[in-house]
Amino acid sequence: MPKTGNVSYSKFINIVANYSKLHRSHFTFHTIVIVAIPIIIVAIIALGGYLGYSYFESSSKVNDADKYVSTFVEEVANTTTNNTNADVGEGSISSNIAAAETGSNNSSKTQTYKGFNVLGTIEIPKTNVKYPVLEGPASNDKIEVAVAVQYPLNATLNTEGNVVIAGHNYRNGTFFSDNKKLENGDKIYITDLNGSKVEYRVYNTFITEANDNSIYNRDTDGKREITLYSCTDDLAGRLIVQARAD
């Protein structure tokens, strides 16, 4: 009987010990779950808030740019008319006529967007791009809100030669993110400060290094050309899109 009792007692001790281990394991897992759930919830809310804000900010930039482009020609026409009327009587009649005919009165056509001087607008139907083209240099604060001239710094749009226009690639469809979709023959429209809208057609696309200067000062044989400049998706290279007016 004592032996049987000892065996029963040992079993009892083992059962209690195993139960205690199981209970502690369950308690530890339960505690981890209780602590982890609120952290996960907060992280999801924070991520959702960040993504929501990023989407709202991107959408706002696109909407602002789209509204500006849609009214650009009208604004240019109004500014030119108002300044022409204000200039009546200043200087000789012949000089005023000459200025009007040559468009030499550049001050009468000044346009701004988000505090930056504007040279015109760009529209790319295939990628649904519509942005003001800001005066160079293409600093980061400029290409955060639009696209900007990178070369030459004194560029005038829709004139002979090559104009390089830089834009961000955020890989989200905004700015020049979808330039990789452009192919030879695709259309790009540039509207200048005179209100003239010129059609360019893509004739070359390629990837090059960031320090490749050959894309800037090129012989265009007297033709009007634009070069769109943006980062590749992996940020390692530069995607170049060249287009020419007919």
Side-chain angles (χ1 to χ4, degrees):
M1 292 296 293
K3 184 177 181 180
T4 303
N6 289 338
V7 171
S8 298
Y9 180 74
S10 297
K11 288 183 177 180
F12 174 75
I13 294 299
N14 288 334
I15 292 172
V16 172
N18 290 334
Y19 176 79
S20 179
K21 289 179 182 180
L22 180 63
H23 181 70
R24 286 198 302 270
S25 175
H26 178 73
F27 177 78
T28 302
F29 176 76
H30 185 67
T31 303
I32 291 174
V33 169
I34 292 176
V35 173
I37 287 178
I39 294 176
I40 293 173
I41 292 174
V42 171
I44 292 173
I45 293 174
L47 179 60
Y50 172 76
L51 294 176
Y53 175 77
S54 297
Y55 177 78
F56 173 78
E57 186 179 33
S58 296
S59 297
S60 295
K61 289 179 179 179
V62 171
N63 291 336
D64 289 348
D66 187 72
K67 289 178 183 178
Y68 183 87
V69 171
S70 65
T71 60
F72 178 74
V73 173
E74 181 181 352
E75 288 297 323
V76 168
N78 289 339
T79 302
T80 303
T81 300
N82 292 338
N83 281 279
T84 300
N85 292 335
D87 289 341
V88 172
E90 295 182 7
S92 66
I93 295 177
S94 59
S95 64
N96 287 334
I97 292 175
E101 290 178 344
T102 61
S104 61
N105 190 1
N106 293 327
S107 63
S108 67
K109 298 177 182 179
T110 300
Q111 296 290 321
T112 60
Y113 180 76
K114 307 286 187 180
F116 301 109
N117 288 340
V118 172
L119 296 179
T121 65
I122 183 171
E123 299 174 68
I124 311 177
K126 185 172 185 177
T127 56
N128 197 31
V129 160
K130 293 182 180 181
Y131 286 102
V133 179
L134 304 182
E135 187 178 70
S139 58
N140 192 60
D141 52 348
K142 291 179 182 179
I143 59 176
E144 284 288 336
V145 297
V147 298
V149 166
Q150 185 159 311
Y151 174 89
L153 296 183
N154 60 343
T156 301
L157 300 180
N158 293 336
T159 56
E160 292 181 4
N162 178 45
V163 175
V164 180
I165 302 173
H168 270 309
N169 175 10
Y170 284 128
R171 300 171 295 284
N172 64 357
T174 62
F175 300 105
F176 285 169
S177 296
D178 287 336
N179 275 11
K180 57 183 172 291
K181 297 179 180 179
L182 297 178
E183 301 172 317
N184 289 355
D186 287 337
K187 299 176 182 179
I188 300 173
Y189 296 96
I190 299 291
T191 304
D192 57 42
L193 288 174
N194 291 319
S196 299
K197 188 174 185 176
V198 176
E199 178 184 288
Y200 294 74
R201 286 184 180 269
V202 175
Y203 71 87
N204 192 25
T205 63
F206 60 94
I207 293 174
T208 188
E209 298 178 352
N211 58 357
D212 182 0
N213 294 323
S214 66
I215 65 169
Y216 297 111
N217 188 17
R218 298 186 292 104
D219 182 9
T220 64
D221 195 25
K223 297 185 180 296
R224 296 174 292 182
E225 293 197 12
I226 56 172
T227 299
L228 307 187
Y229 181 97
S230 62
C231 291
T232 54
D233 284 349
D234 61 6
L235 307 180
R238 297 297 180 267
L239 175 62
I240 307 301
V241 177
Q242 295 174 328
R244 180 184 295 130
D246 295 332

